[in-house]
């Protein structure tokens, strides 16, 4: 369900991705483990995922936020707010 989330992230020279259904709208704020606003460090993309071969086929749109560059963090809790 749509709500603000905190996620502990461990990454070593990797991109960080955060994805959710686009029907929830855009994020208003992303904070790192130190409480800094790092929203501008992420790019937003929207992709459609389509199922086929099921009893009912469907397409769902997702918002994906990805860091602008590879990064390394150790056990930091990132907060994603709507």
């Amino acid at each position: 369900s749509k709500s603000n989330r905190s996620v502990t992230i461990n990454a070593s020279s990797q991109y960080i991705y955060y994805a959710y259904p686009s029907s929830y709208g855009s994020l208003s704020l992303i904070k790192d483990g130190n409480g800094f606003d790092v929203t501008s460090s992420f790019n937003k993309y929207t992709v459609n995922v389509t199922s086929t071969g099921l009893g009912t086929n469907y397409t769902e749109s997702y918002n994906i936020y990805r860091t602008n560059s590879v990064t390394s963090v150790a056990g930091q809790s990132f907060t994603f707010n709507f």
Side-chain angles (χ1 to χ4, degrees), residues 2-81:
K2 178 181 175 179
S3 65
N4 298 337
R5 303 278 184 193
S6 291
V7 179
T8 300
I9 297 176
N10 289 293
S12 178
S13 298
Q14 299 175 15
Y15 288 103
I16 296 172
Y17 290 86
Y18 186 73
Y20 58 88
S22 63
S23 61
Y24 294 178
S26 297
L27 294 176
S28 63
L29 179 67
I30 303 171
K31 286 187 182 180
D32 69 6
N34 297 309
F36 293 109
D37 179 350
V38 294
T39 309
S40 64
S41 297
F42 285 77
N43 284 318
K44 177 185 168 189
Y45 304 91
T46 302
V47 299
N48 292 320
V49 177
T50 301
S51 69
T52 58
L54 302 175
T56 302
N57 296 320
Y58 67 94
T59 298
E60 182 71 41
S61 180
Y62 288 88
N63 286 338
I64 299 173
Y65 286 81
R66 188 193 85 171
T67 51
N68 297 332
S69 59
V70 294
T71 189
S72 296
V73 294
Q76 281 200 23
S77 180
F78 279 68
T79 304
F80 300 88
N81 295 337

